[in-house]
Amino acid sequence: SQTIHQWPATLVQPVGSPLSLECTVEGTSNPNLYWYRQAAGRGLQLLFYSVGIGQISSEVPQNLSASRPQDRQFILSSKKLLLSDSGFYLCAWSVRRGRTGELFFGEGSRLTVL
Amino acid sequence: TQLLEQSPQFLSIQEGENLTVYCNSSSVFSSLQWYRQEPGEGPVLLVTVVTGGEVKKLKRLTFQFGDARKDSSLHITAAQPGDTGLYLCAGARVSQGNLIFGKGTKLSVKP
């Protein structure tokens, strides 16, 4: 069966510090991978998605970047965090070329920038 | 512009009551999904509806896709405290690769 894991689960960082959130998927090949941010326990904002190694699409211009160094690894980064980067970050995967685009989410990473 | 409107935003009910939450859009979707999210966790897929007019049941949960594939509803019978959570609907469009999420309905079922 497929699993998705992201870490760390909780992170408290000062403004201006770097960030690295990691996500790995097991049990599937060539997945589409996604990073979402969720504010105040509500709607999901798509940040980045990737259809293959080294292929990253950004949905929202911001202080963050993403990379996909391996087929089942997706990394969310920042060189200098802002207060507004605080939130709940979710990694997800879907079947490539899947008709319905169903998403399978990781456990989430709570980021607090002070 | 919010393409998927969910209502109500918040719902607090007593155990044993029935409830319906709605997901509406002016756009046509090729499929629509419902997710449930508990605090501090990622959303979990409940169901996918694909055909206009389709009804799917998952124990006490009944999902319906509108005939025109623009809206959907989720009905819960005899709600239990374990049903508490954020219910998100998400639509897929052929012309757009990524899902469009609603803002969710936050359900609280009190014992």
Side-chain angles (χ1 to χ4, degrees):
Chain A
S1 63
Q2 302 90 358
T3 59
I4 178 169
H5 183 50
Q6 62 178 102
W7 69 94
T10 306
L11 200 58
V12 180
Q13 293 286 102
V15 170
S17 65
L19 170 73
S20 180
L21 299 179
E22 294 196 33
C23 174
T24 58
V25 180
E26 297 294 334
T28 188
S29 298
N30 304 316
N32 288 341
L33 295 173
Y34 307 82
W35 278 110
Y36 283 87
R37 180 167 58 202
Q38 186 174 37
R42 299 302 302 274
L44 299 174
Q45 179 187 30
L46 179 62
L47 302 176
F48 301 95
Y49 69 93
S50 171
V51 298
I53 296 174
Q55 301 178 60
I56 309 295
S57 295
S58 174
E59 291 293 301
V60 182
Q62 57 205 323
N63 186 41
L64 302 170
S65 62
S67 61
R68 185 170 178 173
Q70 301 181 44
D71 180 48
R72 292 173 292 177
Q73 184 184 23
F74 206 22
I75 299 172
L76 183 69
S77 303
S78 174
K79 292 183 179 179
K80 289 186 178 181
L81 284 168
L82 306 172
L83 287 174
S84 58
D85 292 324
S86 293
F88 191 53
Y89 289 82
L90 290 158
C91 181
W93 73 273
S94 70
V95 174
R96 188 172 299 179
R97 297 192 183 91
R99 187 166 65 98
T100 57
E102 295 165 337
L103 291 176
F104 301 92
F105 288 88
E107 312 94 326
S109 298
R110 173 74 60 189
L111 171 65
T112 303
V113 183
L114 301 175
Chain B
T1 302
Q2 183 64 30
L3 292 179
L4 269 176
E5 297 283 350
Q6 289 192 244
S7 60
Q9 293 184 48
F10 301 95
L11 189 57
S12 181
I13 62 172
Q14 292 296 128
E15 182 176 2
E17 292 184 18
N18 301 331
L19 67 115
T20 302
V21 298
Y22 301 91
C23 177
N24 295 302
S25 176
S26 58
S27 300
V28 176
F29 294 100
S30 58
S31 68
L32 196 138
Q33 300 150 34
W34 286 91
Y35 296 80
R36 179 169 67 209
Q37 184 180 20
E38 299 190 19
E41 300 182 8
V44 175
L45 179 67
L46 296 174
V47 77
T48 300
V49 286
V50 179
T51 306
E54 182 178 6
V55 176
K56 281 192 174 180
K57 292 191 175 183
L58 186 65
K59 296 183 181 178
R60 294 176 293 99
L61 278 60
T62 302
F63 304 86
Q64 185 163 5
F65 202 12
D67 291 341
R69 290 185 289 133
K70 293 183 178 180
D71 52 80
S72 181
S73 64
L74 159 59
H75 181 80
I76 301 179
T77 303
Q80 299 177 0
D83 296 326
T84 293
L86 179 68
Y87 288 83
L88 295 159
C89 67
R93 293 191 296 184
V94 174
S95 60
Q96 187 168 343
N98 300 313
L99 289 179
I100 297 170
F101 276 88
K103 292 187 177 181
T105 293
K106 192 168 185 179
L107 172 65
S108 174
V109 181
K110 301 184 187 307

PDB file of all heavy atoms in Angstrom, chain B residues 32 37 51 102 109:
ATOM      1  N   LEU B  32     -15.924  15.144  -8.326  1.00  0.00           N
ATOM      2  CA  LEU B  32     -15.903  15.923  -7.098  1.00  0.00           C
ATOM      3  C   LEU B  32     -15.589  14.990  -5.942  1.00  0.00           C
ATOM      4  O   LEU B  32     -16.101  13.859  -5.899  1.00  0.00           O
ATOM      5  CB  LEU B  32     -17.243  16.636  -6.886  1.00  0.00           C
ATOM      6  CG  LEU B  32     -17.204  17.761  -5.849  1.00  0.00           C
ATOM      7  CD1 LEU B  32     -17.996  18.960  -6.340  1.00  0.00           C
ATOM      8  CD2 LEU B  32     -17.705  17.274  -4.522  1.00  0.00           C
ATOM      9  N   GLN B  37     -11.108  16.290   7.598  1.00  0.00           N
ATOM     10  CA  GLN B  37      -9.840  16.616   8.237  1.00  0.00           C
ATOM     11  C   GLN B  37     -10.064  16.827   9.725  1.00  0.00           C
ATOM     12  O   GLN B  37     -10.927  17.609  10.124  1.00  0.00           O
ATOM     13  CB  GLN B  37      -9.237  17.883   7.616  1.00  0.00           C
ATOM     14  CG  GLN B  37      -7.871  18.247   8.162  1.00  0.00           C
ATOM     15  CD  GLN B  37      -7.320  19.500   7.528  1.00  0.00           C
ATOM     16  OE1 GLN B  37      -8.059  20.312   6.968  1.00  0.00           O
ATOM     17  NE2 GLN B  37      -6.007  19.697   7.602  1.00  0.00           N
ATOM     18  N   THR B  51     -20.323  10.782 -11.852  1.00  0.00           N
ATOM     19  CA  THR B  51     -21.461  10.858 -12.774  1.00  0.00           C
ATOM     20  C   THR B  51     -22.532  11.785 -12.222  1.00  0.00           C
ATOM     21  O   THR B  51     -22.875  11.709 -11.033  1.00  0.00           O
ATOM     22  CB  THR B  51     -22.063   9.461 -12.977  1.00  0.00           C
ATOM     23  OG1 THR B  51     -21.031   8.568 -13.400  1.00  0.00           O
ATOM     24  CG2 THR B  51     -23.154   9.496 -14.035  1.00  0.00           C
ATOM     25  N   GLY B 102     -13.009  23.865  -1.782  1.00  0.00           N
ATOM     26  CA  GLY B 102     -13.829  24.788  -1.035  1.00  0.00           C
ATOM     27  C   GLY B 102     -13.151  25.106   0.288  1.00  0.00           C
ATOM     28  O   GLY B 102     -12.139  24.492   0.641  1.00  0.00           O
ATOM     29  N   VAL B 109     -19.943  17.789  16.698  1.00  0.00           N
ATOM     30  CA  VAL B 109     -21.043  16.971  17.193  1.00  0.00           C
ATOM     31  C   VAL B 109     -20.823  16.750  18.692  1.00  0.00           C
ATOM     32  O   VAL B 109     -19.845  16.130  19.105  1.00  0.00           O
ATOM     33  CB  VAL B 109     -21.107  15.620  16.463  1.00  0.00           C
ATOM     34  CG1 VAL B 109     -22.292  14.811  16.988  1.00  0.00           C
ATOM     35  CG2 VAL B 109     -21.196  15.817  14.964  1.00  0.00           C
TER      36      VAL B 109
END
